[in-house]
Structure formats: C-alpha cells, structure tokens
Amino acid sequence: MGVEGRERTRELESGAQQLSGQLGKTIQRLRKAYNLSLSELAEQSGVAKSIISQIERNETNPTLATIWRLSQALDVSIERVLASAEDEPFLEKSNRRDTPILVSEDGKMRLAIIGWIKTVEWLQWYDISADPGGVLESDAHQRGSVETLSVLEGDFEVEVAGVVQTARTGETLRYRCDRPHVVRCIGERPGRATMVCILKAAVMD
C-alpha cells in the first residue's frame, strides 16, 4: 500500500472512531432521557446489554442494523442518532418524527421531549398534552432537583409529599421533585403545559 493509501486508511479510521464516539454519547443521552437502564434498552431493542455498554463507551463500531434497532427503541430517526455534533448547525430544527414521546401508565398524558438531548443530565424540558383525568406519577429525581409546570390550557394539580396545589391556565407551579410526585389533569377539558426539570438545582433541606 502506498503512502496515499495509508493516509486514506488513517483518515477513514479516524472518521469512523469520531462517528462512533458521538453515537455512543447520543445513545446514552437518549437512554437517560427515557430513564432507561441498560437492561431495559437491551430488552426493548433486542441489542445485547454488553453491546450497548460498549457503544456508549466507544469501544466498538456497531453495525447499521444495530443502530437501527436502537433508534427504533429510542423512538428517533436513525439520521438523528448518526448526526455528528460538529456538523450540526447552530440553528437546529426538529420535526415530530425526531421528537420522542413518553406516555403515562394510564395513557392519558403524553410528554414530548423537546429539551436539548445534550443537557438531559441536568436540564429536561417537556411539552405535555393531557386528557381529563390523566395522571403522571414520577419517582424521586436526584436530591436538590426542582420541577416547573406552566399551564397553557386547562387545569392541573401537583402533589408532593401529601401537599396538593392547583394551577390553571397562565399559572405556574414550582416544586421539589427529589421525592415521589404526581401531576394530574383535573376538570372536564384537556390540558396542555410545559414542564422543565432542573436536576441538582440546589441542596434543599
């Protein structure tokens, strides 16, 4: 192999490693956005837990089939998963296909993850649409975490440690979410709200 051939090979290997590294970070951020463990993502995607762990640590170059399975399990397009941070424009646009949706256990609340994936470990942002009577029960987040619920339409209530507060259209509730908490859509009409969760916002006693 000539000098030019070896140089081209090095460029390809470097590019593949860079893409693989970005892929691992993206998979990990999406997994954490869904609050999925490695085992849960493995079960949903059909990709072995050990392989997912290696991808997240940039220790392997996954096949296109593996990337496709993970993108399907994480409910995003394969183009979004493969996008390189260095190539993304500063002005970024996402469409519905690229927006993951979480659904409450009763099926009456839908949370579109509209926050930036890169900040999911400390800032999470959701657009909520709820049917009347919808209930979203959440486990405690990290100590010091604070959540904000701003009501755009309808009526909601939040319960934290037995304390209940109601918010109507145009009102906002802020509450500590480092303990189990419940959000309910009350009244007879559908509701819409934005929810922002700041993890480890402060040490609260």
Side-chain angles (χ1 to χ4, degrees):
M1 180 184 297
V3 175
E4 291 184 359
R6 289 195 296 271
E7 184 65 26
R8 179 58 177 163
T9 298
R10 282 195 294 269
E11 289 178 359
L12 291 173
E13 290 176 351
S14 175
Q17 185 175 11
Q18 183 178 5
L19 178 60
S20 178
Q22 181 60 35
L23 171 67
K25 293 177 182 177
T26 301
I27 293 297
Q28 186 178 67
R29 289 182 182 122
L30 285 167
R31 178 173 64 80
K32 289 183 177 180
Y34 274 110
N35 294 318
L36 292 174
S37 66
L38 286 170
S39 297
E40 289 170 333
L41 180 55
E43 181 179 351
Q44 293 185 23
S45 65
V47 178
K49 174 183 174 181
S50 59
I51 297 298
I52 298 175
S53 179
Q54 289 175 8
I55 292 173
E56 290 189 357
R57 298 197 307 269
N58 191 25
E59 294 179 352
T60 185
N61 292 320
T63 64
L64 189 59
T66 296
I67 299 172
W68 184 85
R69 289 178 180 176
L70 291 171
S71 70
Q72 292 299 299
L74 293 167
D75 196 26
V76 294
S77 67
I78 194 168
E79 293 86 0
R80 182 72 178 271
V81 173
L82 288 172
S84 171
E86 289 75 13
D87 294 334
E88 290 179 356
F90 179 75
L91 180 61
E92 184 180 76
K93 179 180 179 180
S94 298
N95 55 39
R96 288 188 178 183
R97 184 182 62 178
D98 290 332
T99 304
I101 304 293
L102 303 176
V103 181
S104 61
E105 289 189 8
D106 63 7
K108 293 184 177 182
M109 276 204 186
R110 295 159 295 282
L111 285 75
I113 304 176
I114 56 177
W116 202 19
I117 292 175
K118 294 176 185 280
T119 68
V120 71
E121 295 181 13
W122 60 275
L123 177 67
Q124 299 175 0
W125 184 8
Y126 306 93
D127 179 62
I128 299 176
S129 58
D131 297 328
V135 178
L136 177 66
E137 298 184 5
S138 301
D139 295 329
H141 298 307
Q142 297 161 291
R143 179 170 172 76
S145 299
V146 174
E147 204 162 80
T148 298
L149 182 77
S150 296
V151 180
L152 303 175
E153 298 174 11
D155 304 311
F156 287 81
E157 70 176 20
V158 174
E159 179 178 351
V160 184
V163 177
V164 179
Q165 184 62 264
T166 300
R168 307 187 186 282
T169 302
E171 297 180 333
T172 295
L173 294 175
R174 295 183 182 85
Y175 46 94
R176 59 185 301 169
C177 56
D178 56 359
R179 55 188 62 187
H181 49 288
V182 183
V183 177
R184 303 184 183 93
C185 179
I186 58 177
E188 300 180 354
R189 54 177 178 162
R192 281 200 60 230
T194 58
M195 177 189 288
V196 177
C197 180
I198 305 175
L199 303 177
K200 293 186 177 179
V203 176
M204 303 177 65
D205 295 321

